[in-house]
């Protein structure tokens, strides 16, 4: 009997995850307290970081919230950090949390409009190269004004819509019938090859768009969470942030778009698959049927969604309110004027965002361990001993490597804090701090496309319901991102080494940007506000 109960506990633990994965997590949990007692908290901290990255890498075996959460709870229990430090990390990143909760949910209520627009683009643009470039550019432009996660949510919603429409027809059903598009058993034989090609087509569009969010997201103050965080500390406004980043971000944007074109023309790294003609025909048929069925209420709803989308861009560009609060206004406006007033219909919008918000909170616990055990401090101290002209590229590389395996928001948070401390101790001057802040921001944003661990938008895509449908695994994502990673990272490094300092000096001399004083540095986001 006890053996049966023991087996039942093991069966329930982490559910459908493979047995080897369950045993690995149990081993992690058993070994951490022993390492903390015998080898000290710093070694235990590094071990915990490696274990957490493992749970992110295995996201398709088991959603990282549970195993990562167990590691985070244990970290607090064995004294690697405290619950107060974790709460402080959550509080100082409240804008990021609100962004995830409300903005991603807000986009849910604009999906009809987005599906309408993107279906027109898909049907209107025949060339796969032009279509890919359009997706990449659209994602880049949108990410410069919205957050990359918001744009990724849009692309996921659109591609899920496309996939669901075709899968339903391939399974022998009409557009109106209910259907589970995760089940391939009912797909008719003559549609199987087209379905395989369509998955490949959607995978390439998703990856171009995800990289596009990184290309645009690094350019402006609202593009990525760490941009906002670094700008707050440095006291940079929207225009100044764009100009300071431009010597690195604009060349990277250009080579990123050129890489997109090259990948589609060459058909390498899993790109180049065109939409099967049969699928395009079904999409066209669906679009015509939707147009025919559209009632005056549906048209009115599309108009409301379009006006709400305009408000979204204006609200974010003018910083009318915190990004998350703008997202909440989108939910209120889009639902009030389209008749969505029942609680259960509102609840569906939060299903995509909340698991990821919970996962992000768990990551703050790991960041709290990094901060309390000062895991990255030796790297900072070493870089500050280098020659001044080498410090920027050195920070770019150090941030890039860590962001590729960890998460870029947190790497940026830790590094900009450390460089800020060096400024307060007068180890560096304010102009050097500003140059290093640019190197940190671009270093965390650009090379982090290497893996889903680095970019929140990539991890969001990997852990979405769409990833398994289009067979987008962790390994496949890394391979598809590889050419982008190499080209963008090298361009960013060369620009940091050769163009950043002279371009910044030129902007100072011509009055485009102004010198800041060390006293303007804000030690915490709260102070700046």
């Amino acid at each position: 009997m006890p053996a049966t109960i023991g087996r039942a506990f093991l069966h329930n633990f982490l559910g459908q995850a493979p047995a080897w994965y369950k045993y690995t997590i149990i081993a992690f949990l058993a070994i951490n307290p022993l390492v903390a007692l015998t080898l000290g908290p710093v070694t235990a901290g590094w071990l915990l970081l490696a274990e957490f990255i493992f749970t992110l890498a295995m996201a398709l075996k088991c959603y990282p919230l549970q195993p990562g959460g167990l590691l985070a709870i244990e970290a607090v229990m064995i004294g690697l950090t405290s619950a107060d430090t974790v709460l402080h990390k959550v509080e100082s990143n409240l804008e990021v949390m609100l962004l995830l909760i409300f903005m991603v949910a807000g986009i849910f209520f604009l999906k009809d409009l987005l599906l309408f627009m993107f279906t027109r683009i898909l049907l209107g643009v025949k060339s796969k190269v032009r279509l890919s470039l359009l997706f990449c550019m659209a994602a880049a432009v949108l990410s410069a004004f919205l957050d990359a996660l918001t744009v990724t949510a849009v692309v996921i919603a659109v591609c899920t819509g496309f996939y669901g429409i075709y899968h339903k027809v391939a399974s022998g059903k009409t557009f109106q019938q209910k259907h589970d598009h995760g089940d391939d058993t009912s797909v008719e034989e003559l549609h199987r090859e087209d379905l395989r090609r369509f998955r490949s087509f959607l995978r390439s569009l998703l990856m171009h768009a995800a990289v596009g969010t990184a290309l645009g997201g690094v350019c402006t103050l609202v593009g990525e969470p760490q941009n906002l965080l670094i700008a707050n500390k440095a006291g940079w406004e929207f225009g100044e942030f764009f100009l300071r980043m431009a010597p690195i971000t604009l060349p990277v944007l250009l080579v990123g778009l050129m890489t997109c074109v090259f990948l589609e023309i060459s058909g390498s790294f899993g790109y180049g698959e065109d939409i099967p003609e049969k699928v395009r025909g079904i999409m066209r048929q669906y679009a015509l049927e939707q147009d025919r069925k559209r009632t005056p209420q549906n048209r009115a709803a599309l108009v409301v969604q379009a006006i709400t989308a305009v408000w979204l861009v204006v609200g974010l560009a003018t910083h009318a309110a915190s990004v998350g609060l703008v997202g909440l206004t989108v939910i209120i406006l889009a639902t009030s004027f389209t008749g969505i007033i029942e609680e259960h219909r509102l609840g569906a919008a939060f299903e995509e965002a909340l698991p990821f918000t919970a996962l992000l909170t768990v990551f703050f616990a790991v960041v709290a361990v990094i901060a309390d055990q000062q895991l990255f401090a030796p790297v900072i101290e070493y870089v500050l001993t280098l020659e001044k002209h080498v410090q920027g590229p050195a920070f770019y590389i150090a941030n890039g490597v860590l962001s590729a395996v960890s998460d870029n928001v947190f790497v940026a948070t830790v590094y900009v804090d450390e460089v800020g401390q060096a400024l307060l101790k007068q180890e560096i001057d304010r102009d050097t701090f500003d140059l290093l802040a640019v190197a940190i921001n671009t270093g965390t944003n650009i090379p982090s496309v290497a893996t889903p661990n680095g970019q929140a938008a990539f991890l969001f895509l990997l852990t979405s319901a769409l990833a398994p449908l289009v067979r987008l695994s962790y390994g496949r994502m890394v391979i598809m991102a590889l050419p982008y990673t190499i080209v963008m990272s090298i361009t960013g490094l060369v620009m940091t080494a050769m163009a950043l300092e002279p371009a910044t000096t030129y902007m100072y001399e011509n009055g485009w940007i102004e010198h800041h004083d060390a006293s303007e540095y804000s030690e915490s986001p709260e102070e700046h506000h």
Side-chain angles (χ1 to χ4, degrees), residues 5 14 56 87 91 124 131 133 148 151 186 208 215 218 237 284 303 316 328 340 352 389 398 428 436 438 444 509 527:
I5 290 176
L14 300 183
L56 292 176
L87 181 62
E91 284 172 346
L131 185 65
L133 193 58
V151 179
S186 55
H208 288 313
L215 289 170
V218 66
E237 296 303 325
R284 191 172 287 113
V303 171
L316 289 169
L328 181 57
I340 299 169
E352 192 77 72
H389 67 278
I428 56 172
L436 293 181
V438 174
T444 53
E509 287 169 355
E527 284 175 33

Side-chain angles (χ1 to χ4, degrees), residues 198-272:
F198 188 42
R199 280 184 176 131
S200 177
F201 168 80
L202 286 179
R203 271 199 307 272
S204 61
L205 281 189
L206 283 165
M207 286 303 293
H208 288 313
V211 172
T213 65
L215 289 170
V218 66
C219 292
T220 66
L221 187 137
V222 292
E224 288 277 350
Q226 70 266 36
N227 301 12
L228 194 57
L229 189 134
I230 289 172
N232 270 347
K233 287 183 180 293
W236 300 337
E237 296 303 325
F238 195 93
E240 183 179 359
F241 183 93
F242 175 79
L243 289 170
R244 285 187 180 275
M245 298 296 155
I248 302 170
T249 55
L250 295 186
V252 169
L253 175 63
L254 187 64
V255 297
L257 295 176
M258 285 161 63
T259 306
C260 172
V261 172
F262 168 77
L263 288 171
E264 283 303 328
I265 291 172
S266 68
S268 49
F269 293 92
Y271 294 94

Side-chain angles (χ1 to χ4, degrees), residues 111 149 151-161 206 352 457 460-462 464-467:
K111 276 206 296 201
L149 282 169
V151 179
T152 309
V154 169
V155 177
I156 289 171
V158 167
C159 288
T160 305
L206 283 165
E352 192 77 72
F460 187 47
L461 173 57
L462 180 69
S464 72
L466 180 62

Side-chain angles (χ1 to χ4, degrees), residues 207 210-211 214-215 403-404 408 444-452 454-455 458 477-478 481-482 484-486 488-489:
M207 286 303 293
V211 172
L215 289 170
S403 293
N408 58 2
T444 53
N445 269 301
I446 296 164
S448 61
V449 301
T451 70
Q455 283 271 2
F458 278 50
M477 222 168 172
V478 171
L482 184 63
Y484 278 117
T485 306
I486 294 167
M488 288 161 56
S489 300

Side-chain angles (χ1 to χ4, degrees), residues 155-420:
V155 177
I156 289 171
V158 167
C159 288
T160 305
F162 291 161
Y163 183 84
I165 292 160
Y166 176 67
H167 200 278
K168 193 179 281 189
V169 173
S171 302
K173 294 183 178 170
T174 64
F175 295 134
Q176 286 75 30
Q177 286 176 280
K178 282 212 176 298
H179 175 62
D180 173 17
H181 50 232
D183 179 16
D184 278 358
T185 51
S186 55
V187 175
E188 294 165 4
E189 199 55 50
L190 73 143
H191 283 291
R192 286 193 180 271
E193 177 58 17
D194 280 343
L195 182 61
R196 186 199 63 74
R197 286 179 58 204
F198 188 42
R199 280 184 176 131
S200 177
F201 168 80
L202 286 179
R203 271 199 307 272
S204 61
L205 281 189
L206 283 165
M207 286 303 293
H208 288 313
V211 172
T213 65
L215 289 170
V218 66
C219 292
T220 66
L221 187 137
V222 292
E224 288 277 350
Q226 70 266 36
N227 301 12
L228 194 57
L229 189 134
I230 289 172
N232 270 347
K233 287 183 180 293
W236 300 337
E237 296 303 325
F238 195 93
E240 183 179 359
F241 183 93
F242 175 79
L243 289 170
R244 285 187 180 275
M245 298 296 155
I248 302 170
T249 55
L250 295 186
V252 169
L253 175 63
L254 187 64
V255 297
L257 295 176
M258 285 161 63
T259 306
C260 172
V261 172
F262 168 77
L263 288 171
E264 283 303 328
I265 291 172
S266 68
S268 49
F269 293 92
Y271 294 94
E273 187 70 75
D274 211 338
I275 185 168
E277 205 45 55
K278 215 181 287 178
V279 180
R280 194 192 291 276
I282 289 167
M283 291 294 172
R284 191 172 287 113
Q285 196 184 328
Y286 174 79
L288 289 169
E289 187 165 323
Q290 289 301 102
D291 287 347
R292 200 170 52 249
K293 277 168 48 192
R294 203 163 277 123
T295 63
Q297 282 96 326
N298 295 144
R299 290 194 189 92
L302 283 178
V303 171
V304 167
Q305 288 180 23
I307 294 167
T308 308
V310 171
W311 150 245
L312 174 62
V313 174
V314 171
L316 289 169
T318 59
H319 256 271
S322 152
V323 180
L325 296 182
V326 173
L328 181 57
T329 64
V330 167
I331 295 173
I332 293 166
L333 292 170
T335 54
S336 300
F337 293 96
T338 54
I340 299 169
I341 55 168
E342 297 85 5
E343 188 181 356
H344 67 273
R345 288 178 71 194
L346 287 169
F350 294 90
E351 284 175 10
E352 192 77 72
L354 287 182
F356 191 77
T357 311
L359 175 60
L360 206 54
T361 309
V362 167
F363 209 112
F364 289 137
V366 180
V367 177
V369 173
I370 293 169
D372 282 356
Q373 302 307 325
Q374 298 191 311
L375 300 185
F376 293 168
V379 184
I380 307 276
E381 285 161 15
Y382 170 71
V383 171
L384 291 179
T385 63
L386 299 173
E387 291 290 315
K388 194 177 168 187
H389 67 278
V390 185
Q391 287 177 2
F395 266 111
Y396 179 92
I397 293 168
N399 280 272
V401 170
L402 283 168
S403 293
V405 293
S406 180
D407 182 285
N408 58 2
V409 180
F410 311 112
V411 175
T413 307
V414 173
Y415 270 80
V416 82
D417 279 350
E418 297 282 348
V419 176

